[in-house]
Amino acid sequence: MPNSEKEYNGYLIDHLRLLKRIEAVTKDNEALKVIAFERDFIEQKLYQKPPLLNS
């Protein structure tokens, strides 16, 4: 489990990179829809306002 917001954000960015790599090699339209769906959820967490911690 991440210990800080910065570490958690790094974890989310890793997930986005993984989705991008999978997207680059798939031709299945259904899979691409699922990837886009998952990307939306990850980006919601990554770019949330206000951030997890108030600095």
Side-chain angles (χ1 to χ4, degrees), residues 17-27 31-32 35:
R17 288 178 180 159
L18 177 61
L19 289 176
K20 188 170 245 182
R21 288 193 298 268
I22 294 169
E23 186 177 36
V25 298
T26 189
K27 292 181 172 85
L32 293 172
I35 290 168

Side-chain angles (χ1 to χ4, degrees), residues 7-43:
E7 188 176 351
Y8 183 67
N9 287 346
Y11 177 76
L12 294 174
I13 290 169
D14 288 344
H15 277 74
L16 288 174
R17 288 178 180 159
L18 177 61
L19 289 176
K20 188 170 245 182
R21 288 193 298 268
I22 294 169
E23 186 177 36
V25 298
T26 189
K27 292 181 172 85
D28 181 5
N29 283 334
E30 194 63 34
L32 293 172
K33 289 179 186 176
V34 173
I35 290 168
F37 184 75
E38 290 299 322
R39 180 181 292 117
D40 287 343
F41 282 119
I42 294 169
E43 287 176 347

